[in-house]
Amino acid sequence: MDYQKYVQMLKAMADPNRLKIIDLLSCGSLCACDILEHFDFSQPTLSHHMKVLQNAGIVAARKEGKWQHYTLQAEFMATFKQDTAQLLSSDDQCVCHDVTCTACASGKVVVTNEKN
Amino acid sequence: MDYQKYVQMLKAMADPNRLKIIDLLSCGSLCACDILEHFDFSQPTLSHHMKVLQNAGIVAARKEGKWQHYTLQAEFMATFKQDTAQLLSSDDQCVCHDVTCTACASGKVVVTNEKN
DNA sequence: TACAAACATAGATGCGCGTCTATATTTATA
DNA sequence: TATAAATATAGACGCGCATCTATGTTTGTA
């Protein structure tokens, strides 16, 4: 998986306001002014947050007249779930395969690395 | 879902080094010195990162002799996947249910909120 | 054409975070 | 008991981030 891209998604999501924006968009598209109504911060701040979400590939923007419509990227929803599952599983591509535990190898403790 | 707890998990994960630590632990327990070998930063920095992961409920620590063993929390792995699925889905508990789109309501654009 | 609405950009500010060095603490061992 | 190994704590530093105000840009409308 694309480690760097996954971290960028996590960083973009790791803000309570941006997480709420994602939640608001989970049912469909919304324009900026409607999103803004749910928050206390200023309009430029929302503009900043939307740019962060776009750069992370989470949100797509489409302009129609005066309004800027935002939608969750389908690819993000799929990729993020997939990357998360892979991170928390110990499959063949896991980085932990060449890892040993010094304490365990010394025979002084009972803890064992399940993969060795 | 616990919004605040989920954000705390995301923040803890939104660092490339901590994400690699989680990946290293996805196969089993490791002590601090073994984790440290995979990074360039100092030992106090690792100690700091492990504390962040513990406070977020991602990692559990267990001391045996000189060694501090770290393990991924089973509850975290379950909760995080579940919260993620709920965030990206539009079920009954979604915050977007009382949301309308001004631009759509005006009838000037073709975009519609899928839930309305 | 003038004005208002929706949104973006520029620049500044304050706070948090990742990292460091130095030192303390705990535990095993000679 | 002295020493070394493994880890934690304290305090400092620099950078990035979330936010703001002020202003620019685009688009629809009277």
Side-chain angles (χ1 to χ4, degrees), chain B residues 67-78:
Chain B
W67 288 286
Q68 187 84 16
H69 288 266
Y70 295 105
T71 315
L72 281 190
Q73 295 258 31
E75 188 186 343
F76 154 71
M77 295 189 265

Side-chain angles (χ1 to χ4, degrees), chain A residues 31-88:
Chain A
C31 57
C33 57
D34 289 317
I35 298 176
L36 187 59
E37 284 180 354
H38 294 80
F39 297 96
D40 291 329
F41 50 65
S42 65
Q43 174 267 323
T45 297
L46 176 65
S47 195
H48 162 73
H49 284 315
M50 298 316 295
K51 185 137 292 185
V52 172
L53 290 171
Q54 287 179 73
N55 290 338
I58 295 177
V59 160
R62 184 169 35 87
K63 191 171 187 180
E64 292 200 26
K66 292 189 297 182
W67 289 286
Q68 186 83 17
H69 288 266
Y70 296 104
T71 315
L72 282 189
Q73 295 258 30
E75 188 186 343
F76 155 70
M77 295 188 266
T79 302
F80 186 74
K81 288 179 188 174
Q82 184 179 339
D83 287 354
T84 298
Q86 185 173 338
L87 173 77
L88 301 180

Side-chain angles (χ1 to χ4, degrees), chain B residues 9-97:
Chain B
M9 290 179 183
L10 287 168
K11 279 189 177 178
M13 296 171 71
D15 174 86
N17 291 321
R18 286 198 293 264
L19 195 63
K20 187 175 175 182
I21 293 173
I22 294 174
D23 215 348
L24 287 168
L25 292 175
S26 65
C27 287
S29 299
L30 284 175
C31 58
C33 59
D34 288 318
I35 298 175
L36 187 59
E37 284 179 354
H38 294 79
F39 297 95
D40 291 329
F41 51 64
S42 66
Q43 174 267 323
T45 297
L46 175 65
S47 195
H48 162 72
H49 284 314
M50 299 315 297
K51 185 137 292 186
V52 172
L53 290 172
Q54 288 179 73
N55 291 338
I58 295 177
V59 160
R62 184 168 36 85
K63 191 170 187 180
E64 291 200 27
K66 292 189 298 183
W67 288 286
Q68 187 84 16
H69 288 266
Y70 295 105
T71 315
L72 281 190
Q73 295 258 31
E75 188 186 343
F76 154 71
M77 295 189 265
T79 302
F80 185 75
K81 289 180 187 174
Q82 183 179 338
D83 287 353
T84 299
Q86 185 173 338
L87 173 77
L88 301 180
S89 72
S90 54
D91 57 8
D92 293 339
Q93 300 166 12
C94 187
V95 294
C96 61
H97 274 176

Side-chain angles (χ1 to χ4, degrees), chain A:
Chain A
M1 71 162 165
D2 194 335
Y3 227 82
Q4 187 178 353
K5 188 69 185 173
Y6 186 57
V7 171
Q8 191 180 11
M9 290 178 183
L10 287 169
K11 279 189 177 177
M13 297 171 71
D15 175 86
N17 290 322
R18 285 198 295 262
L19 196 63
K20 187 175 175 182
I21 293 173
I22 294 175
D23 215 347
L24 286 169
L25 291 176
S26 65
C27 287
S29 300
L30 285 176
C31 57
C33 57
D34 289 317
I35 298 176
L36 187 59
E37 284 180 354
H38 294 80
F39 297 96
D40 291 329
F41 50 65
S42 65
Q43 174 267 323
T45 297
L46 176 65
S47 195
H48 162 73
H49 284 315
M50 298 316 295
K51 185 137 292 185
V52 172
L53 290 171
Q54 287 179 73
N55 290 338
I58 295 177
V59 160
R62 184 169 35 87
K63 191 171 187 180
E64 292 200 26
K66 292 189 297 182
W67 289 286
Q68 186 83 17
H69 288 266
Y70 296 104
T71 315
L72 282 189
Q73 295 258 30
E75 188 186 343
F76 155 70
M77 295 188 266
T79 302
F80 186 74
K81 288 179 188 174
Q82 184 179 339
D83 287 354
T84 298
Q86 185 173 338
L87 173 77
L88 301 180
S89 73
S90 54
D91 59 7
D92 294 339
Q93 299 166 12
C94 186
V95 295
C96 61
H97 275 175
D98 55 347
V99 175
T100 53
C101 178
T102 301
C104 306
S106 71
K108 301 294 177 59
V109 286
V110 292
V111 180
T112 53
N113 186 313
E114 296 167 4
K115 278 288 168 179
N116 298 328

